[in-house]
Amino acid sequence: MSAVRLHRYDEQLAMGHSPRAVASAVAAQRLVRVRPGIYADGETWAAATPETRLVARARALALVSKVPPVFSHETAAAAHRLPLFHPRTDAVHVIVSAERPGAAAGAVRHRGELRNEDVVEIDGLRCTSLDRTVADMARTGTFEQAVAVTDAALRALCVPRPGEYLLDRANEFRKTARDIARRSAHGRTQAERVLAFADGRAQLPGESISRIRLHELGFRRVRLQVRVSGPGGTNYYADFGLDDVGALAEFDGALKYTDGQLRDGRTTAEVFDREKQREDWIRGKSQLRFVRWGWPHIRTAQTLADRLVAFGIRPPS
C-alpha cells in the first residue's frame, strides 16, 4: 500500500503558490483537499485504493490535531493493511473518552474505554490493536464488512503459507476479540455471529462475501482452499469445495488480471492462459463440476443462485 503524500496549505503558499492558484489546482483536480488545510496530488489520489485514501485522511487529521487521535474501526483496519468491503472513505473513525467534548470535521467519533493494550502505533499513527479493531468491526459494521475484516485478520495471523491454517491460533484470536467485544453493551450478539463465521482461509473480500451468500443459499459443507495435486509435484487450490453438491468453485475478481504485482511481470493474456490451463487441470484431476463467479454474481444470494443454476448446480435449499 503506497502512501499518499500530503501537502499543507501553508506549505503551498511558502512555495510561491497564491491562494487563487491553489483553488485553481483544486478545481482542476490537480490537487485534492483531503481535509481543511491538507491536500494531496490529484493523480495519486485518483489511483489510490480506498484503504490508502482512508490512511491518508487519518494522517491528515493527525497532522492538525493537538492530541494524537486513536483511529479505530475501518480506519484502523486500513492501517493494519486489511482489505475492506465497501468502506466509507470520506471520513475517519476515532475513539475518544466520554468526557472529551467537541467534534472534528471528517471524523466519526466513538466514545469508549481504551486500555493500554488496545492501542498500537502503525507507521506513526495511533490505532486500535488488531484484536480491538476486529472486535469493534464485528460489533458495529455490517455483517459483510465485519466478516471481510475478520477473515483478513485471521488470514494475516494464521496462514503462514498456502495450504496451512493455524487453527489453534485462529481460535485464540477469536477468543481475545470476543472478550473485547463483550466489554460493550452494544453489538455483542452480532460480534459472536461474525467471529463464529469468520475463516482466515478466505483470501479476498470477494471470497468472504461469497461464503456469506453460499450460507444464505443453504450450503453448509463449504471447504476453503481445496488442494488439488498439480503437475510436477505442485499443488493447486480451488477457493471453494461445495461438498453439498459435489462441485468446486472460485471467486474470480478482476484484480489479478490488472494488478502488476499479482501478474508478476506477465501480460494479461499470459495470466488468462495460465489460469485456463490451471482450471483445465483441476477439472480433469478432480472430476468435479467447476464454476466461477465474480462481483456481479454475489450482489445477493439470488444472483449467485442464478449463476450456479446456469452451470447446472442447484443450491441445497
Side-chain angles (χ1 to χ4, degrees):
M1 180 169 59
S2 300
V4 172
R5 184 182 175 187
L6 300 175
H7 311 277
R8 289 178 178 269
Y9 180 71
D10 53 5
E11 291 173 344
Q12 293 291 305
L13 299 183
M15 292 170 61
H17 302 300
S18 67
R20 184 173 180 178
V22 174
S24 177
V26 172
Q29 299 185 340
R30 293 192 302 274
L31 284 179
V32 171
R33 193 177 79 157
V34 179
R35 69 170 297 102
I38 306 292
Y39 300 85
D41 175 74
E43 187 175 344
T44 302
W45 187 262
T49 65
E51 294 86 356
T52 302
R53 292 184 184 186
L54 272 177
V55 172
R57 290 197 188 278
R59 292 191 180 286
L61 178 58
L63 280 173
V64 300
S65 298
K66 293 180 180 178
V67 178
V70 177
F71 297 99
S72 64
H73 297 74
E74 287 185 323
T75 312
H80 281 286
R81 295 175 172 81
L82 303 180
L84 304 174
F85 176 68
H86 290 174
R88 177 183 175 182
T89 59
D90 62 341
V92 296
H93 292 259
V94 296
I95 290 185
V96 297
S97 59
E99 65 274 9
R100 187 171 172 183
V108 178
R109 293 162 67 99
H110 302 268
R111 306 289 179 181
E113 173 195 354
L114 285 171
R115 301 180 181 180
N116 289 337
E117 63 270 21
D118 289 340
V119 181
V120 298
E121 185 173 304
I122 303 173
D123 299 330
L125 290 179
R126 298 181 73 217
C127 302
T128 50
S129 62
L130 186 62
D131 45 18
R132 173 64 189 259
T133 300
V134 166
D136 286 339
M137 286 295 296
R139 288 191 307 103
T140 64
T142 68
F143 187 68
E144 287 88 351
Q145 290 171 328
V147 168
V149 163
T150 308
D151 280 359
L154 288 170
R155 179 171 65 254
L157 291 171
C158 308
V159 182
R161 59 188 61 84
E164 184 174 355
Y165 189 54
L166 305 179
L167 188 58
D168 288 345
R169 189 170 185 182
N171 289 335
E172 181 181 349
F173 181 81
R174 285 181 220 273
K175 181 182 183 305
T176 302
R178 186 177 292 113
D179 289 344
I180 294 172
R182 286 172 177 168
R183 294 182 206 159
S184 174
H186 305 289
R188 289 183 293 184
T189 299
Q190 174 173 288
E192 293 282 352
R193 182 179 170 223
V194 168
L195 292 166
F197 188 83
D199 193 315
R201 284 166 288 201
Q203 293 187 320
L204 297 165
E207 294 180 24
S208 300
I209 306 307
S210 294
R211 288 174 44 243
I212 294 172
R213 300 292 178 251
L214 289 167
H215 190 79
E216 290 170 344
L217 289 173
F219 286 91
R220 294 297 179 265
R221 295 191 296 149
V222 178
R223 288 181 294 143
L224 302 184
Q225 299 304 310
V226 180
R227 185 177 67 85
V228 177
S229 57
T234 61
N235 287 316
Y236 291 142
Y237 293 90
D239 295 336
F240 305 101
L242 308 181
D243 292 350
D244 296 274
V245 293
L248 295 175
E250 291 206 333
F251 170 76
D252 196 14
L255 182 64
K256 63 185 174 185
Y257 303 119
T258 58
D259 188 286
Q261 217 173 11
L262 295 179
R263 287 193 284 115
D264 195 26
R266 291 170 287 155
T267 66
T268 300
E270 288 171 335
V271 172
F272 269 112
D273 182 65
R274 182 169 176 175
E275 195 65 18
K276 183 179 184 306
Q277 292 180 31
R278 173 181 169 275
E279 181 178 326
D280 287 345
W281 180 278
I282 291 176
R283 288 177 184 273
K285 186 73 175 179
S286 69
Q287 293 296 295
L288 294 174
R289 291 174 294 174
F290 191 97
V291 58
R292 287 181 179 273
W293 57 73
W295 282 111
H297 308 115
I298 56 174
R299 287 194 301 268
T300 66
Q302 186 57 53
T303 56
L304 181 55
D306 292 342
R307 177 70 170 180
L308 293 173
V309 170
F311 281 75
I313 298 172
R314 295 199 169 274
S317 69

